[in-house]
Amino acid sequence: MKSKVKFTAFVVASIDGKIAKDSKSGAPWASKEDWLFFQQSLKKFDAVVVGTSTFKVAQKNLNKRNTVVFTSRVGKFKTVGSVTFFNPSRANVADFLKHNNYKKVAILGGPKVYSYFLEKGMLDELYVTIEPLIFTEGVNMFTGDKFTKYKLKLESVKKLNTQGTLLLKYNAN
Amino acid sequence: MKSKVKFTAFVVASIDGKIAKDSKSGAPWASKEDWLFFQQSLKKFDAVVVGTSTFKVAQKNLNKRNTVVFTSRVGKFKTVGSVTFFNPSRANVADFLKHNNYKKVAILGGPKVYSYFLEKGMLDELYVTIEPLIFTEGVNMFTGDKFTKYKLKLESVKKLNTQGTLLLKYNAN
């Protein structure tokens, strides 16, 4: 029997929980310390899951990885090189990842993809980097139909630079 | 000459930056450790500023304090006991507070009131308590017309309990 896949989400956000200006933008405002942490972390993962907007923003980097792109525009799934376009309403993503022997999977957003794993109770860990910024407007970290209270547990806090970028690690089980 | 008023905002939020279910609700999900910190802190302040929704939610407690309620429903301002209903588009709130010899003023929300002081560059300090919760939907911490990058500096981090409630203090100048 194959073991359970471990899902870890990575989020970089402002103090007010915004992750981007709009769905077409990345996080050029993220600190270089967060970028280094993120790149180093990804080396330990077998695959990443993203939505189509995140894929478009970061396609150059994601094409080199084992990437699963959530989309409703394929039947079950369609693989092109190391990238698989995957329809989560028609196929089981945990089964697909297990079948490919991926044990550690990073969830890289956007909000719909983060929320998919959160709502299904599949999220094991959440890394949130809080940059010392306030945006007031922008893309929310998660997207939900209604106010729901998901309880997590803080595992660690690390200050990444003098301006005060904070790296928080939560257990989401 | 009277000295400058110091403005300190207090926010309690989820990991994803939500401060309430809706404009009629408070933060019953906030930890008792945050509540204690908040009550202890308020003792050091001469007055508080809130919006009408926050005033309605917390009226019983706010009636006992020197409270300024932002509203568009008065001319300049109208005082009832220790509570002043104040129209910030018709009168200058900093002048009003100075005139009353209030030196330390706490900004208690909601989002419009937080944003008013942030946008005007009047905010000196920001305390953000992050409860280890995700809500996905709810009232945002701030409200803005467009994505803007306000830069702050983290001054301190304190873990308030074992579940991982975090108290962050930012310098907003």
Side-chain angles (χ1 to χ4, degrees):
Chain A
M1 204 181 108
K2 292 192 184 76
S3 64
K4 190 192 168 299
V5 180
K6 186 177 179 180
F7 292 99
T8 304
F10 290 85
V11 181
V12 57
S14 62
I15 297 166
D16 55 330
K18 304 297 179 189
I19 61 167
K21 183 182 177 182
D22 54 46
S23 65
K24 290 186 171 62
S25 24
W29 40 265
S31 57
K32 66 173 191 296
E33 292 81 6
D34 173 65
W35 181 250
L36 283 170
F37 157 76
F38 181 56
Q39 294 302 319
Q40 287 299 319
S41 300
L42 284 187
K43 290 179 185 172
K44 300 168 204 158
F45 286 80
D46 304 316
V48 305
V49 181
V50 293
T52 48
S53 296
T54 303
F55 183 65
K56 278 175 193 161
V57 170
Q59 188 161 0
K60 209 182 130 193
N61 288 323
L62 292 172
N63 276 336
K64 300 174 202 159
R65 301 187 182 280
N66 296 321
T67 300
V68 174
V69 185
F70 273 10
T71 174
S72 56
R73 298 198 176 181
V74 293
K76 286 185 174 180
F77 57 86
K78 186 185 167 185
T79 300
V80 184
S82 68
V83 178
T84 299
F85 296 89
F86 192 95
N87 190 334
S89 63
R90 299 223 180 144
N92 184 305
V93 69
D95 287 348
F96 173 83
L97 294 164
K98 265 191 272 190
H99 182 79
N100 282 276
N101 209 25
Y102 296 147
K103 289 181 177 70
K104 295 182 75 182
V105 175
I107 314 300
L108 306 186
K112 277 190 212 166
V113 177
Y114 291 136
S115 299
Y116 179 91
F117 287 92
L118 179 72
E119 286 167 11
K120 294 230 179 307
M122 291 164 78
L123 207 58
D124 296 293
E125 291 178 327
L126 170 66
Y127 283 97
V128 182
T129 300
I130 302 184
E131 297 291 353
L133 300 167
I134 293 171
F135 294 150
T136 74
E137 245 300 315
V139 178
N140 285 316
M141 206 181 282
F142 293 88
T143 173
D145 294 334
K146 63 175 206 298
F147 181 88
T148 312
K149 209 160 76 181
Y150 296 97
K151 290 182 190 181
L152 293 86
K153 190 174 192 303
L154 184 72
E155 297 221 323
S156 67
V157 182
K158 198 177 169 187
K159 193 176 155 184
L160 297 186
N161 55 32
T162 54
Q163 195 64 24
T165 298
L166 276 185
L167 173 62
L168 313 182
K169 182 184 179 185
Y170 288 97
N171 187 320
N173 280 325
Chain B
M1 204 181 108
K2 293 192 184 78
S3 64
K4 190 193 167 299
V5 181
K6 186 176 179 180
F7 293 99
T8 304
F10 289 85
V11 182
V12 57
S14 62
I15 299 166
D16 55 331
K18 304 298 179 189
I19 60 168
K21 182 181 178 183
D22 54 47
S23 65
K24 289 185 174 62
S25 27
W29 40 264
S31 58
K32 68 173 189 294
E33 292 82 6
D34 174 64
W35 181 251
L36 283 171
F37 158 76
F38 180 56
Q39 293 302 320
Q40 286 299 317
S41 299
L42 284 187
K43 291 179 184 171
K44 301 168 203 155
F45 286 80
D46 305 315
V48 305
V49 181
V50 293
T52 48
S53 296
T54 302
F55 183 65
K56 278 176 196 160
V57 170
Q59 188 160 359
K60 207 182 128 194
N61 288 323
L62 292 172
N63 276 336
K64 299 175 206 158
R65 301 187 182 280
N66 296 321
T67 300
V68 175
V69 184
F70 274 10
T71 174
S72 56
R73 298 196 177 182
V74 294
K76 287 186 172 178
F77 56 86
K78 186 186 166 183
T79 300
V80 183
S82 68
V83 178
T84 299
F85 296 89
F86 192 96
N87 190 335
S89 63
R90 299 224 180 142
N92 185 305
V93 69
D95 287 349
F96 174 83
L97 294 165
K98 264 190 275 191
H99 181 80
N100 282 278
N101 209 26
Y102 297 146
K103 289 181 176 70
K104 295 181 76 182
V105 175
I107 313 300
L108 306 187
K112 276 191 212 165
V113 177
Y114 291 137
S115 299
Y116 178 90
F117 288 92
L118 179 72
E119 285 167 13
K120 294 231 178 308
M122 291 164 77
L123 206 58
D124 296 292
E125 291 177 327
L126 170 65
Y127 283 97
V128 183
T129 300
I130 303 184
E131 297 291 352
L133 299 167
I134 293 172
F135 294 149
T136 74
E137 245 300 314
V139 178
N140 285 315
M141 205 181 285
F142 293 89
T143 172
D145 294 334
K146 61 175 209 296
F147 181 90
T148 313
K149 208 159 78 182
Y150 296 96
K151 290 183 190 181
L152 293 86
K153 190 173 191 303
L154 183 72
E155 297 221 322
S156 66
V157 182
K158 195 176 170 187
K159 193 177 156 183
L160 297 186
N161 55 31
T162 54
Q163 196 64 22
T165 299
L166 276 184
L167 173 62
L168 313 182
K169 183 184 179 184
Y170 289 96
N171 188 322
N173 280 324

